[in-house]
Amino acid sequence: MTIRIRHCVECPKCGTRYLVGFSPYGNGSYLMPVARLFWDEYSLYCTCNEPAVPSRWFMNEMKTCEVSKEAHRRGYGSAEEIVAVSHESAATWVFDTGKYLDWKSKG
């Protein structure tokens, strides 16, 4: 099974999560950079907002998420399909060689 890790933003009104780089989305929503050539600030226009009211996102605010196959195919999904990866699980792994190697000399 392939794990899909992507950056995503979440609509503050309906909670739908959108994958960065998949816009425009099949449900009519879209995510676009605020200014051309500046890729650190985005506006999300979700179809749940009538009239269209954008939510602003900076790159450092985007979530790192594990994405299901179906949500990846669509480019968006629910919180159950696109799960935020906690900072703790992204921490550097510690590998203790002492558990696996015998450092004592055999005589």
Side-chain angles (χ1 to χ4, degrees):
M1 182 172 119
T2 304
I3 296 174
R4 295 167 185 86
I5 303 292
R6 299 289 186 267
H7 284 100
C8 69
V9 297
E10 182 175 343
C11 175
K13 184 175 179 185
C14 70
T16 300
R17 294 182 176 175
Y18 294 92
L19 304 180
V20 176
F22 287 68
S23 181
Y25 305 98
N27 66 357
S29 299
Y30 56 97
L31 179 70
M32 56 189 303
V34 171
R36 196 172 188 203
L37 303 176
F38 291 99
W39 299 94
D40 61 343
E41 186 177 359
Y42 290 80
S43 290
L44 171 65
Y45 294 86
C46 185
T47 53
C48 75
N49 283 322
E50 288 293 329
V53 178
S55 58
R56 285 270 174 103
W57 291 89
F58 291 93
M59 280 298 287
N60 64 347
E61 297 173 325
M62 293 181 181
K63 298 176 182 180
T64 302
C65 298
E66 187 173 331
V67 184
S68 73
K69 182 178 180 179
E70 283 301 307
H72 188 268
R73 184 185 57 73
R74 285 191 310 270
Y76 66 94
S78 67
E80 291 78 28
E81 295 175 298
I82 301 175
V83 180
V85 178
S86 68
H87 291 290
E88 292 80 33
S89 65
T92 304
W93 291 1
V94 176
F95 183 75
D96 182 4
T97 58
K99 291 181 179 180
Y100 305 97
L101 300 174
D102 184 9
W103 294 102
K104 297 177 187 171
S105 62
K106 295 182 182 180

